Amino acid sequence: MSAAAYLDTLNIQQRQAVEHGVLENDCTPGSPLLVIAGAGSGKTNTLAHRVAHLIVNGTDPRRILMMTFSRRAAAEMTRRVERIARKVMGDNAGVMTDALSWAGTFHGIGARLLRDYADQIGLDPAFTIHDREDSADLLNLARHELGFSKTESRFPTKNTCLTIYSRCVNAESEIEQVLGKSFPWCSGWAVELKQLFAAYVAAKQRQNILDYDDLLLYWAQTVGDPVLAEDIGSRFDHVLVDEYQDTNRLQSSILLALKPGGRGLTVVGDDAQSIYSFRAATVRNILDFPSQFSPPATIVTLDRNYRSTQTILSAANGVIELESERFTKNLWTERTSSAKPQLVSVRDEADQARFIVERVLENRESGTVLKQQAVLFRTSHHSGPLEIELTRRNIPFVKFGGLKFLDAAHIKDMLALLRFVENPRDRVAGFRLLHLIPGVGPTSAQRVLDHMSNAADPISALANAPAPPRGGDEWLSFVEIVTDLRSGRAGWPAELERARLWYEPHLDRIHEDANTRRADLVQLEQIAGGYPSRERFLTELTLDPPDATSDQAGVPLLDDDYLILSTIHSAKGQEWKSVFVLNVVDGCMPSDLGVGTSAEIEEERRLLYVAMTRAKDVLHLIVPQRFFTHGQNARGDRHVYASRTRFIPDRLLGLFERTTWPIAVAGSAARSSNQSPRIDVGARMRGMWRS
């Protein structure tokens, strides 16, 4: 094969990105390059070809730094580079790509460099690295030592504290700014949190420990010194970064310090797929990249899509074109189709679940296996009704982006309460519940359950049992809710609301993401409304589904077939023949929690775009007419009439096929416009007031 023949499979824009600044047998780094790689445009293939092209033309692979967002992605990239280079270099390609040793994540590369330069920055090179759980535990020790675990009003949990600390570090923001924007309920603790973080840093340094965030923070501080920055930067002729739209400010500052002039610097990404601000990623990094150099960086746009049909791309382009600030890019493909994406109106979320199940089974009968179909949603709890329907119909599924609805700890807690009320001798449920009460440990719980098991009336025994020494008011509240629910006074399913109101204070105390989990509990109430009694609800959800649920709790064997359920965030980078998107209504998309600023609204728009561009052949966007909102008063009617997402205004409707489900048929309530109503209720109402 000739030296350039291995590039013949690339399209014009891909080849332009691969060859930018690379001369034959010339290793001199070229000017900075930004590759805007649209969804399904062959981004990974292009980046791998660029690395291979550098090596084939004489670049020392030991002087190439390639950063990705997972070790798996780095390993896959290296394998692709070898396959490409082998076409020109034969067996020598393996030797060269084995030397591509600086390929990994930002954090992995940072750890290696920090050990290399430890003596120059006052760091012991034998430092150990804490994972998130270890970091939270160490932070909690400092929290206890400062007395913050015994404050009069509830101090943020260790995990919340660690999340705040991490956001401050990665976003390079002051704590007051982070609290005001992302953790307003913690704003009153700014002074104490600063004390806590100072103590946490001191503890890490005493123990020669770095946490996950330190790997970036120490690296950024190191290259903040001009001499060290020049020394580290000079080790690499070429620096390539994948998924640049997902970097945070700290990562960007590291990159610009390594290559302040931009020579040899290549970043690849898509501003339209920047959806990780909750991890402190900022779309500004990719939007501002070209102007950070003089002359500005070269921009190459990959807009040919190899995944989706043109009708799907036209609809996705229409959605993203309304974004306020973006790199101009309209995806196109040679894959023609007359089938437009469908906007499907359904009555409510229950019908939404039934519609999806019917279509999924129809697709399977037509030859599309379950694994080639996916259901995407904005937030994990949105899939609750669908999971119930799939389990009821015995359709296997795997969920990405959160635990299965029935496997989540807070859902298990609520079901344990209902099981315990239904059967007070259920020790597993009782043990789980008693551990929710502060001050009640294993010994106290065992004593209470033993006392109940020996009584003819376990509920009366619970009410008369000696209170655990440290149970306090929480113990009295627990006895009251169990007694109340057992009496059946509230009726079904109203008693589930009373159970939730008892549980919510525990939810706030135990979980840092209490608001999201609270929405799950309200969702559980909606599901419960479909069952005639507590006993039937528990029987069908607890006794029957466990086998199906637990069997599918992990990823099944590769030769099994299963439907994919995924949050949109977890679906990024994936593709399926048929894609269903749940709840394409305002309140979900955009989320009612994500519409505070214009930047948040634009990220919500990008989320819908990412969801739409996962589909290869068929795309359904589902619009429930009645949506079960989670933001209303718990005692109100939480079903509201929903509006189609604002991201698909009327002027874009021509890009979609609009349908309703179920379709009205002859003999149903449907009637022609000239047909008289069966009952004129209005006339009857008027007649009530005639003398």
Side-chain angles (χ1 to χ4, degrees):
M1 179 178 288
S2 65
Y6 65 98
L7 302 180
D8 289 346
T9 58
L10 304 176
N11 65 40
I12 294 173
Q13 288 76 24
Q14 290 173 333
R15 187 157 181 163
Q16 184 182 352
V18 168
E19 295 181 323
H20 172 79
V22 184
L23 301 176
E24 188 172 350
N25 298 319
D26 184 351
C27 307
T28 306
S31 58
L33 171 66
L34 169 61
V35 181
I36 299 296
S41 63
K43 168 185 67 90
T44 304
N45 187 45
T46 302
L47 189 56
H49 271 83
R50 179 164 176 79
V51 175
H53 193 56
L54 289 170
I55 294 173
V56 166
N57 283 280
T59 299
D60 184 345
R62 294 168 296 183
R63 296 184 60 80
I64 295 176
L65 172 59
M66 182 170 61
M67 289 186 283
T68 63
F69 270 77
S70 71
R71 286 179 295 177
R72 183 190 304 175
E76 172 60 23
M77 187 73 70
T78 302
R79 285 193 293 270
R80 288 197 187 204
V81 170
E82 180 179 353
R83 286 198 298 268
I84 297 164
R86 191 175 291 277
K87 296 176 181 178
V88 177
M89 306 177 72
D91 292 340
N92 291 332
V95 175
M96 296 299 283
T97 53
D98 284 346
L100 196 63
S101 58
W102 289 96
T105 65
F106 266 94
H107 294 86
I109 299 296
R112 289 181 60 186
L113 288 171
L114 290 177
R115 294 196 195 278
D116 285 352
Y117 289 84
D119 60 329
Q120 298 191 53
I121 60 175
L123 184 65
D124 183 342
F127 64 82
T128 54
I129 301 171
H130 268 187
D131 61 19
R132 300 295 290 187
E133 187 173 344
D134 290 336
S135 299
D137 288 342
L138 182 59
L139 190 64
N140 204 36
L141 285 175
R143 184 170 169 270
H144 284 304
E145 289 171 0
L146 290 170
F148 295 155
S149 57
K150 298 180 180 178
T151 52
E152 190 170 318
S153 58
R154 186 172 61 89
F155 193 76
T157 65
K158 63 178 183 180
N159 288 316
T160 299
C161 292
L162 185 62
T163 303
I164 295 169
Y165 172 82
S166 183
R167 182 65 64 91
C168 291
V169 169
N170 288 287
E172 295 186 321
S173 298
E174 296 294 327
I175 189 170
E176 291 82 5
Q177 181 182 353
V178 169
L179 293 179
K181 182 179 179 181
S182 303
F183 303 89
W185 62 91
C186 300
S187 293
W189 297 107
V191 173
E192 290 83 358
L193 285 169
K194 284 183 180 179
Q195 287 180 259
L196 174 61
F197 296 159
Y200 173 57
V201 169
K204 287 188 293 182
Q205 292 181 358
R206 283 196 306 271
Q207 299 174 43
N208 196 31
I209 288 167
L210 298 188
D211 65 21
Y212 197 62
D213 298 316
D214 286 334
L215 298 175
L216 297 183
L217 186 60
Y218 274 61
W219 188 4
Q221 292 294 321
T222 300
V223 296
D225 179 87
V227 174
L228 293 178
E230 169 64 26
D231 189 49
I232 296 174
S234 66
R235 298 175 64 164
F236 306 107
D237 295 326
H238 293 273
V239 178
L240 303 96
V241 182
D242 194 13
E243 303 285 9
Y244 193 61
Q245 79 280 351
D246 294 333
T247 55
N248 57 43
R249 289 185 60 182
L250 195 57
Q251 290 164 321
S252 176
S253 65
I254 290 169
L255 197 64
L256 296 178
L258 289 177
K259 296 293 178 185
R263 296 200 65 80
L265 183 57
T266 299
V267 301
V268 182
D270 183 7
D271 56 299
Q273 298 186 67
S274 178
I275 57 174
Y276 290 109
S277 65
F278 65 93
R279 296 181 187 167
T282 172
V283 71
R284 296 303 332 166
N285 284 353
I286 195 166
L287 291 175
D288 296 340
F289 182 83
S291 62
Q292 291 174 317
F293 307 98
S294 183
T298 299
I299 302 175
V300 175
T301 301
L302 308 183
D303 55 7
R304 179 178 178 180
N305 179 284
Y306 293 89
R307 173 187 301 156
S308 307
T309 63
Q310 186 59 55
T311 49
I312 291 174
L313 294 181
S314 296
N317 287 338
V319 168
I320 203 63
E321 279 173 2
L322 301 179
E323 190 172 24
S324 59
E325 184 179 4
R326 70 186 189 101
F327 288 110
T328 302
K329 173 183 74 278
N330 288 302
L331 298 179
W332 64 277
T333 184
E334 293 182 348
R335 296 193 64 222
T336 59
S337 173
S338 59
K340 296 179 180 179
Q342 292 198 4
L343 270 176
V344 184
S345 294
V346 296
R347 181 177 52 190
D348 53 26
E349 290 175 286
D351 271 3
Q352 177 174 243
R354 287 189 284 270
F355 165 77
I356 289 173
V357 168
E358 284 200 11
R359 289 294 180 270
V360 163
L361 293 176
E362 286 176 8
N363 292 342
R364 184 172 178 271
E365 289 300 312
S366 301
T368 302
V369 297
L370 295 179
K371 284 191 288 189
Q372 280 296 316
Q373 304 182 63
V375 183
L376 308 183
F377 31 88
R378 171 65 180 83
T379 303
S380 184
H381 69 259
H382 287 173
S383 66
L386 176 61
E387 292 183 47
I388 300 298
E389 184 69 10
L390 290 169
T391 301
R392 191 180 71 81
R393 300 283 292 271
N394 202 27
I395 298 173
F397 64 93
V398 173
K399 182 176 179 180
F400 297 94
L403 286 171
K404 283 190 164 189
F405 187 75
L406 296 180
D407 289 342
H410 52 298
I411 298 297
K412 284 179 172 288
D413 288 343
M414 285 292 285
L415 292 177
L417 176 57
L418 295 178
R419 291 204 334 261
F420 190 65
V421 170
E422 187 75 9
N423 174 18
R425 301 190 190 279
D426 186 334
R427 294 180 73 88
V428 172
F431 207 72
R432 184 181 186 101
L433 287 172
L434 290 168
H435 271 92
L436 293 174
I437 303 171
V440 176
T443 302
S444 296
Q446 194 77 22
R447 189 178 301 121
V448 170
L449 294 173
D450 286 344
H451 181 77
M452 292 177 64
S453 67
N454 295 325
D457 183 352
I459 297 296
S460 295
L462 174 66
N464 298 322
R470 294 185 294 161
D473 291 339
E474 295 287 358
W475 169 257
L476 298 177
S477 174
F478 170 69
V479 173
E480 181 181 350
I481 189 64
V482 170
T483 305
D484 181 57
L485 295 181
R486 180 69 175 181
S487 72
R489 283 190 295 266
W492 179 263
E495 65 186 53
L496 198 56
E497 179 187 356
R498 302 186 74 155
R500 174 175 60 80
L501 293 176
W502 168 80
Y503 178 66
E504 281 184 343
H506 299 290
L507 184 74
D508 291 333
R509 176 173 50 81
I510 297 168
H511 300 289
E512 65 170 309
D513 55 346
N515 283 335
T516 300
R517 293 174 185 262
R518 186 176 289 108
D520 285 352
L521 299 180
V522 178
Q523 182 78 69
L524 186 67
E525 285 183 51
Q526 184 208 18
I527 294 169
Y531 294 84
S533 67
R534 183 204 308 142
E535 185 273 332
R536 284 280 300 278
F537 178 64
L538 291 172
T539 297
E540 296 193 33
L541 281 195
T542 308
L543 300 182
D544 205 16
D547 289 340
T549 302
S550 60
D551 285 349
Q552 297 299 329
V555 177
L557 298 175
L558 293 179
D559 58 351
D560 287 345
D561 197 17
Y562 47 88
L563 180 68
I564 303 296
L565 307 189
S566 176
T567 61
I568 300 171
H569 286 101
S570 296
K572 187 168 171 288
Q574 304 298 314
E575 61 182 38
W576 297 275
K577 288 185 68 174
S578 178
V579 169
F580 302 85
V581 185
L582 297 184
N583 299 333
V584 186
V585 296
D586 269 3
C588 276
M589 211 169 292
S591 165
D592 51 9
L593 299 177
V595 292
T597 66
S598 59
E600 289 172 336
I601 292 175
E602 293 305 327
E603 179 159 332
E604 294 285 318
R605 188 194 312 277
R606 295 193 293 269
L607 266 172
L608 177 58
Y609 174 80
V610 167
M612 294 174 67
T613 53
R614 301 309 95 199
K616 297 165 69 174
D617 299 329
V618 182
L619 173 63
H620 291 87
L621 306 182
I622 309 174
V623 183
Q625 297 301 296
R626 289 200 307 161
F627 176 66
F628 190 77
T629 180
H630 307 295
Q632 292 191 10
N633 185 293
R635 292 177 175 80
D637 176 13
R638 292 181 295 274
H639 284 91
V640 298
Y641 285 95
S643 301
R644 184 183 69 244
T645 176
R646 69 190 71 177
F647 302 140
I648 305 178
D650 289 347
R651 63 181 180 274
L652 296 184
L653 289 178
L655 300 172
F656 299 85
E657 179 183 347
R658 301 175 70 186
T659 63
T660 59
W661 188 91
I663 299 172
V665 296
S668 71
R671 56 186 177 82
S672 62
S673 58
N674 59 359
Q675 184 178 344
S676 299
R678 184 178 181 87
I679 302 174
D680 190 343
V681 177
R684 293 187 179 185
M685 295 301 101
R686 292 191 299 272
M688 289 174 61
W689 304 101
R690 291 176 185 156
S691 56

